[in-house]
Amino acid sequence: MKRILLLLSVLLCLSLCSCGVFVDTDTPKSAELSNEYDFYENSVASIRGACNVSPEEADEIFIILVNNCGVDKEISVSSTINAPYSVKYGFKTLSMVLDNKVVSTVSDGDKQLYPVTSDSTESVGKDAETETAAESNTETSVPHRTDSDIVGVSDKDISDIDIYYYGDVKNDVTGNWRYSMTADNIDIENYALSYYKTYFKSDSEIHGIVNFTRKTTSSIRVNGGIMFLDIYDYVDGEEKDAKLMFSGTLLKSYMIYTDNGDIQQIQ
């Protein structure tokens, strides 16, 4: 009878572990991390399961993701043979490489988040200085237009919302289409100029932004210093196929001037 009870206890424990209900997080840093981050336990459970690391090693991975890579929600880690680990949180997905169970690199698309290199730090500093100077010049040298169809200014920061940039669109024959996704309930025209400065690498690109809350897909293209923003009804799965993208009903159209962000409504 005692053997049966012991066996049942072991099976129950294993069952709870597999369901994520019980996680061994008894490490020197677990109490502090658990108090500071309400998503700590489930996150390290996923890290340990996918990466096959010890509790202490999982803690170090968790700390790097949170402190150095901006992770602020529960983490889900998955792995593919001969490929980096996929770290998902919220609507974002990062790529993580381990070397002997220690984080080697973490990237968000083409941008390396960890470790930060001196070149990228200098580049970021120079870019920030350039943008600040450009914004200052814009404010003083380009007055806002007063036409009756000017409906606002695209002056909100795209980093203030949860948006994930995926990049290339499947079946795109031009090589210039890109797409991003968000679920934030926002008017994309107010963030379009910041999006353009953040994600466009060339004015030959055309970007689609899917908003799952608004159920819309926005097309952004640039020509001659003017952004053309068209907002369509979302078509299910269009972000996965260039043949479907922007095939919904056109809802609104805007021109956005890149010199000062003035938004002019066309439709």
Side-chain angles (χ1 to χ4, degrees), residues 108-139:
D108 182 358
D110 295 332
K111 181 180 180 181
Q112 182 171 306
L113 303 179
Y114 178 87
V116 177
T117 63
S118 58
D119 290 341
S120 63
T121 303
E122 291 174 4
S123 176
V124 169
K126 291 178 181 178
D127 289 345
E129 291 175 3
T130 302
E131 287 184 10
T132 301
E135 289 172 1
S136 177
N137 291 335
T138 295
E139 291 176 1

Side-chain angles (χ1 to χ4, degrees), residues 226-245:
I226 298 177
M227 299 174 57
F228 295 88
L229 171 64
D230 296 320
I231 302 176
Y232 300 87
D233 273 326
Y234 173 67
V235 174
D236 187 33
E238 66 178 282
E239 71 278 6
K240 300 176 183 178
D241 192 341
K243 296 177 182 178
L244 292 177
M245 187 161 278

Side-chain angles (χ1 to χ4, degrees), residues 38-81:
D38 57 5
F39 54 90
Y40 162 73
E41 290 194 5
N42 288 340
S43 296
V44 294
S46 181
I47 292 171
R48 289 182 59 192
C51 303
N52 191 27
V53 295
S54 69
E56 290 78 9
E57 290 166 337
D59 280 354
E60 297 306 317
I61 294 172
F62 177 84
I63 290 170
I64 288 174
L65 291 174
V66 170
N67 291 345
N68 299 87
C69 305
V71 172
D72 58 0
K73 295 180 177 64
E74 183 175 321
I75 299 167
S76 174
V77 182
S78 57
S79 60
T80 304
I81 297 176

